[in-house]
Amino acid sequence: MEYFNAFLCGGILCAIGQILIDKTQLTPARILTGYVVAGVLLSAVGLYEPLASWGGAGATVPLTGFGHALAKGVRKAVDTDSWLGVFTGGLTAAAGGITAAVVFAAVMAAVFKPSSKR
């Protein structure tokens, strides 16, 4: 059932993004940024944690999950480091994902040669 919930949750998030692309003038970059902000806001009001518990990877892997991780990190850092945690908490919480993205991008750039499409 976990796989089904993850598939359903991730599929709904992707379908919402596709509808936004098809029916609005929003650019994909703005939609992706909106997903991160939505994850932060849903986490702030306490709605994202139950969604992440139910949807598993379908909720934590998309960009809304990144926003949730940032918000959780800031909340934890503020509890321990006071107001300075506002600046450090998000980066600390997301450091693993950011590092993985940079490393994988560097590996792909080294393995594959870019070429222009004609």
Side-chain angles (χ1 to χ4, degrees):
M1 198 63 176
E2 283 183 42
Y3 293 126
F4 178 75
N5 290 348
F7 177 78
L8 187 63
C9 184
I12 289 170
L13 289 172
C14 289
I16 291 169
Q18 189 63 48
I19 290 168
L20 289 172
I21 288 172
D22 291 344
K23 301 292 183 187
T24 68
Q25 295 295 320
L26 293 173
T27 63
R30 289 181 184 208
I31 294 169
L32 296 176
T33 304
Y35 268 32
V36 174
V37 172
V40 170
L41 293 175
L42 289 172
S43 182
V45 296
L47 296 175
Y48 206 82
E49 193 64 44
L51 178 66
S53 296
W54 175 79
T60 57
V61 171
L63 284 173
T64 51
F66 181 69
H68 172 62
L70 290 174
K72 241 169 71 171
V74 168
R75 187 178 308 127
K76 181 178 176 185
V78 166
D79 288 343
T80 59
D81 300 333
S82 184
W83 66 272
L84 190 59
V86 171
F87 302 107
T88 61
L91 292 175
T92 303
I98 294 169
T99 302
V102 170
V103 168
F104 293 143
V107 168
M108 291 297 119
V111 170
F112 298 102
K113 301 230 184 260
S115 63
S116 61
K117 294 182 180 179
R118 291 186 183 226

